[in-house]
Amino acid sequence: MPQTKKWQEMTWQEKREQRFDRWLNPPDIKFVNKEAEQLYKTRVQRFIKAIKLEEPDRVPVMLPTGNFPAYWAGSSFHEIMYDYQKGNEVWKKYMHEFGDMDTYTGPTIPSGPLAEAFPSKQAKLPGLGLPVTAQMNEFVEGEYMMADEYDLYMRDPTDFHLRVSMPRSSDFFAPFKKLPPLRGMAGASTFVSMLSNPEIDTIVKKLQSAIDEQKKYMAAQKEMRDYIRSHGYPPFGGFNMIAGAPFDHFADALRGTRGIAMDIYRQPKKLHEAMEWYINLSIESAIKNYPMTDSPVCIMPLHKGDDMFMSDKQFEEFYWPTYRRILMAMINEGLVPMPFAEGKYTRRLKQIADTPPTSVVWWFDQTDMKEAKRLLGKVCCIVGNVPTSVMITGTAQQVAENCTQLIKDCAPGGGYVLAGGASCHHGKIENFRAMMNTAKEYGVYKK
């Protein structure tokens, strides 16, 4: 009998095939019937062929559904933050009402009770920093790591987050500033002594009291995820929280836009050192240990690399080299990174083409898609980018016209997924139907 290769002995293509097989034949789904199972497989195969730059039966579609089902059903982001079952009921109703879609996901709305219990300066939610009628949450940038704290962070990131950045980003965790360095702790008595501090004890007890709420929230998420898959709708990708662009890691939640812009000029060597450190940490502690999940596609939002933020020279120096190494580490584990290039990446297209053929999927927001097809068409699958403004405020005819042009520009030869430039939280269901129907009518590959 032929010996089975060990994981570390496989090529990245062989590893990816194993992940594709699990995506196509998930071991934990109990389909509602044979038809749902067949639809699931057909939809997954459609995406796999697109990733491999092959022509499927038709152009696959990733509808920019976002939180639209909540508003379509007369609910809201705020209501579903607190009523998880209401969210599930709404998303199920929308799924059955809409019908055929290539992929679908449940609510991605955070838990209201948990957000209320542990307020953060980095996040605003409807009713918690934003008007109750707000349609989505907001991330609030800040300088949560000072310019002279790179070394402190790299020495022990867990200790830094616990004793420095968490107290800065949330008043609730302010008492953690008084903790001694955790790397010096040894023995149970040290921890007991630490917990005896009344302020720390209060935090620990409140964290413990939130366990049931967290379990309730996670159970609702799992229920919806299982329900959707059992009815034949596969996940296309999940947001990858284990890896991202090293530059964004420091620019987003630590230094902020103002801080990172100054670091580029004032301490570029230290920034490079920190990004190198982050690469090694991310690869060794997360990417190599990434579990075998249903979909190997990992959505990776990019924030500071677009045409408008930095020059081509800065992108080449500070952004792309370290990010490419993260991508290659993921590829080598059989994962399919799908960077979500927020903003415009038209000037970046030649640089980001430097990856193995079929290894990456690029999702574009405002990039010139015709140019993306020209420069990346033989390198990677591209995704995008029906304008969000058209999806929300346009007519079904305008949506259909945009989709038809995108299919004409990007679909020939395969390697294209029709999608929105970003998620929609308001709009009209007829616009989503127009997007899906256009792919079915004009996106068919003739054999």
Side-chain angles (χ1 to χ4, degrees), residues 157-179:
T158 301
D159 182 72
F160 182 88
H161 282 304
L162 194 65
R163 299 193 305 119
V164 181
S165 67
M166 283 175 64
R168 285 176 182 164
S169 62
S170 174
D171 291 337
F172 177 79
F173 291 105
F176 279 4
K177 291 186 293 186
K178 302 175 183 179
L179 291 173

Side-chain angles (χ1 to χ4, degrees), residues 168-298:
R168 285 176 182 164
S169 62
S170 174
D171 291 337
F172 177 79
F173 291 105
F176 279 4
K177 291 186 293 186
K178 302 175 183 179
L179 291 173
L182 300 185
R183 59 185 175 275
M185 291 188 177
S189 61
T190 307
F191 286 96
V192 172
S193 176
M194 177 187 73
L195 295 174
S196 65
N197 180 312
E199 290 180 306
I200 303 299
D201 182 49
T202 298
I203 293 175
V204 172
K205 286 179 177 176
K206 189 156 188 182
L207 288 169
Q208 289 176 325
S209 69
I211 291 174
D212 287 343
E213 187 64 34
Q214 176 69 11
K215 287 180 178 178
K216 181 181 173 183
Y217 175 73
M218 295 302 294
Q221 294 270 308
K222 183 179 185 303
E223 177 199 336
M224 192 62 216
R225 182 173 63 249
D226 292 347
Y227 185 90
I228 289 171
R229 294 188 304 167
S230 71
H231 283 75
Y233 297 92
F236 178 42
F239 282 91
N240 191 328
M241 306 309 293
I242 64 168
F247 187 90
D248 284 347
H249 174 74
F250 292 99
D252 287 348
L254 292 171
R255 295 290 291 126
T257 301
R258 176 179 176 275
I260 204 73
M262 291 193 295
D263 292 345
I264 286 176
Y265 293 98
R266 294 181 178 180
Q267 48 178 349
K269 289 184 179 180
K270 182 57 65 177
L271 178 55
H272 279 298
E273 180 188 349
M275 290 192 294
E276 288 290 328
W277 167 88
Y278 177 77
I279 290 172
N280 295 328
L281 177 71
S282 183
I283 292 173
E284 293 301 322
S285 65
I287 295 174
K288 285 187 176 181
N289 298 308
Y290 195 75
M292 189 74 76
T293 57
D294 284 358
S295 171
V297 180
C298 304

Side-chain angles (χ1 to χ4, degrees), residues 360-374:
V360 180
V361 176
W362 276 92
W363 179 6
F364 293 114
D365 173 16
Q366 300 172 37
T367 299
D368 183 330
M369 293 298 284
K370 193 171 184 178
E371 190 71 357
K373 181 67 175 182
R374 185 179 75 84

Side-chain angles (χ1 to χ4, degrees), residues 425-437:
H425 307 295
H426 261 298
K428 294 166 277 191
I429 194 169
E430 53 264 33
N431 286 1
F432 290 91
R433 292 196 189 282
M435 186 172 172
M436 195 74 221
N437 291 337

